[in-house]
Amino acid sequence: MSANPRIVYSKCPAFGELPVVGLHIVLDVSRTIDLDNASFQGISLPLECILTPPSFLISPEPSIRERMRDPKISSYTTTLIVGAPIIGPGLVVVLRSEKEGVKAGDYMYGQTPWEAYTVQPYIEGRVDFNPSDWAPDTFDMDSLALQVVPNPNGLYPLSKYISLLGTPGLTGYVGFEGLVEAKEGETIFVSSGASGVGSMVVQLAKLKGIKVIASAGSDAKVDYLRSLGVDVPFNYKKSSYESVLAQHGPIHAFWDNVGGEALDAALEALAPKSRAITCGVVSSDNVPPAERYRLKNTHLIMKKRLDVRGFIVPDFIPQFFGKFMEQVPALMAQGKLRSEETATNGIEKAPQALIDMLVGGGDAVGKPIVVVSVE
């Protein structure tokens, strides 16, 4: 029998509460798996299964926190299941498969349990999704099943499937292509520009000849933004959003990963009939409602006739996924798109990596990843 450690969603945090490692997210080392006899906890595996060895790379992402809520609270996605493993994006390599079109050695990317060995399609942790049980337009996150992805054969690191070629890159790409509508010579402001999503957006903007203003929370991240070609990178902890945008605006588009003060300042700096794209609200995700920043400039939405739009990736996958897979690897190969990843080694460190991602801060740039194992 082989040890099969996993990360369990053990308790639902209060609304606006930052999850606590050891209370809401715990490491469970009690599980085992019999790889030789194809049984899991003493139960024979299904014939058509994909058995993946240590999950290789897993991706701490904000959507995981959004799923850590009471199912009665409506949002854009289904919830996680208390007592089951955390489910999130990951890159796995197939150990054994009896599923047509999937063979040993294949790489696959998609939603997967946070555990060393996983049998696909996973059962524990999967929501029995019935649309009538959820608020309208709730997205079934479990529908983003593992899909075979190309072996890069050394052309790029496998970690790019967690950043540029994963959810962050796809989010930035489809949102930019589908919603931003900025033109050459215009100006865009990107909050949290050094994040996985933000760094994709700033690079796409520069490729189109757009002036980019981008914020970050440390001088090291500002240096990273500068290396990506950002025209006006700034540390919002040292220079206020208002002062930087007043000096370098007006702006014609705002890509928001943060909300709060960044959004308020952008509403003031946006030119009439321009647009704000809301991709994330990390400034308030883990803050109790009574303590959250209250917007002061919402009246400008009407007075400037602004378009303000929120979105999630599945809104645009049918329209842009093919184009994404065609263009982004090519742009990477040409050196026109790049990314940084910050790796944490060991599944036991995944809970803290998730919390660190939610809190932000520090000098780590780019996309956090957890390396469960190496080949």
Side-chain angles (χ1 to χ4, degrees):
M1 302 294 284
S2 299
N4 196 30
R6 62 183 192 154
I7 306 302
V8 173
Y9 172 42
S10 57
K11 183 179 180 181
C12 181
F15 186 61
E17 177 184 13
L18 181 69
V20 176
V21 175
L23 177 62
H24 305 108
I25 315 169
V26 301
L27 171 68
D28 175 14
V29 296
S30 67
R31 295 295 183 99
T32 58
I33 186 169
D34 187 342
L35 300 175
D36 294 326
N37 296 310
S39 66
F40 182 72
Q41 294 300 108
I43 302 172
S44 296
L45 301 178
L47 288 178
E48 290 194 7
C49 72
I50 305 165
L51 184 63
T52 61
S55 299
F56 206 58
L57 301 175
I58 55 180
S59 178
E61 298 192 0
S63 61
I64 295 173
R65 172 62 185 93
E66 189 63 25
R67 300 188 72 191
M68 297 173 66
R69 69 181 197 280
D70 188 322
K72 296 177 183 177
I73 300 174
S74 63
S75 186
Y76 62 87
T77 180
T78 48
T79 59
L80 295 174
I81 296 176
V82 173
I86 296 281
I87 307 294
L91 177 76
V92 303
V93 58
V94 178
L95 174 65
R96 183 167 66 252
S97 174
E98 296 181 26
K99 181 178 177 62
E100 185 177 354
V102 180
K103 64 183 184 301
D106 280 347
Y107 293 105
M108 304 186 77
Y109 177 82
Q111 295 290 309
T112 188
W114 282 19
E115 55 191 1
Y117 293 89
T118 178
V119 178
Q120 300 283 345
Y122 58 87
I123 297 174
E124 190 176 14
R126 181 180 296 276
V127 172
D128 185 12
F129 184 68
N130 184 338
S132 64
D133 296 335
W134 299 82
D137 292 320
T138 299
F139 181 72
D140 177 17
M141 194 66 79
D142 294 309
S143 67
L144 297 176
L146 289 174
Q147 301 291 328
V148 175
V149 294
N151 184 337
N153 292 314
L155 291 177
Y156 49 83
L158 288 167
S159 60
K160 300 305 175 187
Y161 280 118
I162 302 295
S163 57
L164 277 178
L165 293 173
T167 304
L170 183 61
T171 301
Y173 183 89
V174 302
F176 187 87
E177 291 293 321
L179 295 172
V180 170
E181 299 179 1
K183 304 177 182 65
E184 183 176 358
E186 292 187 334
T187 300
I188 187 173
F189 168 42
V190 181
S191 62
S192 191
S195 64
V197 175
S199 60
M200 173 61 116
V201 174
V202 302
Q203 291 179 90
L204 292 173
K206 291 306 300 177
L207 287 173
K208 290 184 178 292
I210 299 167
K211 176 183 174 181
V212 177
I213 305 170
S215 62
S218 74
D219 290 343
K221 292 178 180 179
V222 169
D223 289 341
Y224 175 56
L225 289 172
R226 190 173 289 111
S227 76
L228 295 178
V230 172
D231 300 278
V232 185
F234 71 98
N235 184 341
Y236 70 88
K237 296 177 181 178
K238 294 183 175 181
S239 302
S240 70
Y241 294 111
E242 291 86 354
S243 64
V244 173
L245 294 177
Q247 180 179 356
H248 297 283
I251 58 176
H252 305 91
F254 173 45
W255 181 286
D256 192 14
N257 294 307
V258 174
E261 293 180 64
L263 174 56
D264 230 5
L267 291 174
E268 188 169 15
L270 279 163
K273 295 186 178 180
S274 52
R275 65 210 66 84
I277 311 304
T278 299
C279 179
V281 286
V282 295
S283 67
S284 61
D285 277 339
N286 300 290
V287 177
E291 301 175 20
R292 292 177 179 176
Y293 179 88
R294 299 303 184 210
L295 295 175
K296 304 177 180 66
N297 289 327
T298 53
H299 62 286
L300 296 175
I301 297 173
M302 183 278 290
K303 293 187 177 183
K304 292 185 178 182
R305 291 146 292 170
L306 302 175
D307 290 331
V308 180
R309 167 72 185 268
F311 83 102
I312 60 173
V313 175
D315 293 341
F316 291 100
I317 284 180
Q319 184 177 356
F320 290 110
F321 184 72
K323 187 178 177 183
F324 170 81
M325 291 305 299
E326 176 184 345
Q327 291 190 351
V328 173
L331 289 169
M332 288 170 53
Q334 296 166 28
K336 295 180 179 180
L337 284 178
R338 64 185 184 88
S339 64
E340 296 287 339
E341 297 84 40
T342 300
T344 298
N345 294 313
I347 193 171
E348 71 280 0
K349 296 179 182 177
Q352 190 59 52
L354 175 62
I355 302 305
D356 291 344
M357 180 275 304
L358 295 174
V359 173
D363 290 337
V365 300
K367 178 70 184 74
I369 63 174
V370 176
V371 182
V372 178
S373 73
V374 294
E375 288 185 304

